[in-house]
Amino acid sequence: MTSENKVVGQAAPPAHLAVRGIHKRFGGVHALRGVDFEVARGEVMALVGDNGAGKSTLMKVLAGAHLADDGAFFLDGKPAEVTSPNDASELGIQIVYQDLALCENLDVSANLSLGSEPVKPGWSFLPRLLRPLDDLEMEVKAKKAIDRLEVRTLQSVRAKVGGLSGGQRQAIAIARAVGAESTVVMLDEPTAALGVAQTRQVLEVVKRLRETNHAVVYISHNMRDIFEVSDRITVLRHGTNVATYTTSETNPDEIVVAMTRGLDTENGNAA
Ligand SMILES: Nc1ncnc2c1ncn2[C@@H]1O[C@H](COP(=O)(O)OP(=O)(O)OP(=O)(O)O)[C@@H](O)[C@H]1O
Ligand SMILES: [Mg+2]
């Protein structure tokens, strides 16, 4: 069964990534119950809902980290298949997990190249794992990724990640996702553990992603951040869609009501 997603506000821009009728069960828990979701290039789509609403599960389904039990994927309107993180990454879909999965003991440039480290030319007679890494190439790649996102507070790509602030780490994790030729970047509560200045830095990076024509999915509980950074807001409740709002045409109170009570039905009762 596919839920009918209500759209509140302007007509939607053409979807880049869309899913319809997504179901996901974990044993007895029916976490997603026919969810529709979409995001366009050059927009930030906020994904909100109470604890346990299914936001992280939906994001992991979109990233191929969880296999949906049912439902369909579309990329630029064409049916697509996402059954593994590899499928998702080949389609340009990248996720930044809350724990970031950065290596503390490596520097920024090594973290940005993890899994696709450039090797020095001329050593191809050795098995790949034994070839010397091209530090310079790694540094150049890292500088490009950081410059693209205009992360200004980072002194050097040679700095160890262990010594960076939370906001800087978040920016590095985002730069890594963006570096992989992605078109969709998904962030799960990127500012949850950050102070004011660091949150600001991450919000600027998110805006920068929109400017570079990425489709951005942004999960957050912070209404102020959501209203600052998003173009649209999709509300989930108990694993189903409540509605999708145009940010400029709604307000935090309306979103909180939708998150906690759902949409009022026609006869005036809370859903
Ligand atoms: N790996 C898992 N195994 C079993 N149940 C899970 C798993 N992941 C999520 N769930 C369940 O699915 C439901 C949705 O969880 P999810 O993490 O998607 O919620 P959320 O909206 O991200 O919540 P929060 O705001 O607390 O992060 C919850 O009932 C949760 O307990
Ligand atoms: Mg979550």
Side-chain angles (χ1 to χ4, degrees), residues 165-209:
S165 76
Q168 287 170 331
R169 285 167 194 232
Q170 191 64 240
I172 302 308
I174 295 171
R176 188 171 59 186
V178 175
E181 309 216 330
S182 54
T183 56
V184 181
V185 181
M186 305 192 285
L187 309 165
D188 196 347
E189 312 217 26
T191 62
L194 303 184
V196 177
Q198 297 183 14
T199 294
R200 178 115 313 281
Q201 184 179 357
V202 171
L203 293 180
E204 292 310 318
V205 169
V206 172
K207 290 180 192 170
R208 183 81 192 118
L209 287 173

Side-chain angles (χ1 to χ4, degrees), residues 9 17 33-35 39-40 43 46 67 76 100 102 104 113 130 139 143 146 179 183 185 193-194 206 210 222 271:
L17 174 66
R33 305 162 179 238
V35 171
V39 60
E43 85 162 343
L67 192 58
D76 294 325
L100 301 183
L102 296 173
E104 304 260 320
S113 289
L130 298 179
E139 198 168 320
K143 281 212 180 90
I146 300 289
T183 56
V185 181
L194 303 184
V206 172
R210 168 172 48 210
N222 185 309

Side-chain angles (χ1 to χ4, degrees), residues 55-57 98 188-189 219:
K55 306 178 296 293
S56 296
T57 304
Q98 193 163 4
D188 196 347
E189 312 217 26
I219 294 182

Side-chain angles (χ1 to χ4, degrees), residues 83-136:
T83 56
S84 70
N86 206 30
D87 285 351
S89 130
E90 276 177 15
L91 293 173
I93 304 168
Q94 293 288 338
I95 185 167
V96 180
Y97 289 104
Q98 193 163 4
D99 62 8
L100 301 183
L102 296 173
C103 294
E104 304 260 320
N105 56 332
L106 298 180
D107 66 21
V108 170
S109 64
N111 267 281
L112 285 169
S113 289
L114 273 183
S116 58
E117 294 88 345
V119 288
K120 285 199 173 122
W123 292 81
S124 51
F125 57 90
L126 284 177
R128 183 164 171 94
L129 278 176
L130 298 179
R131 293 178 206 163
L133 296 184
D134 191 340
D135 289 346
L136 200 63

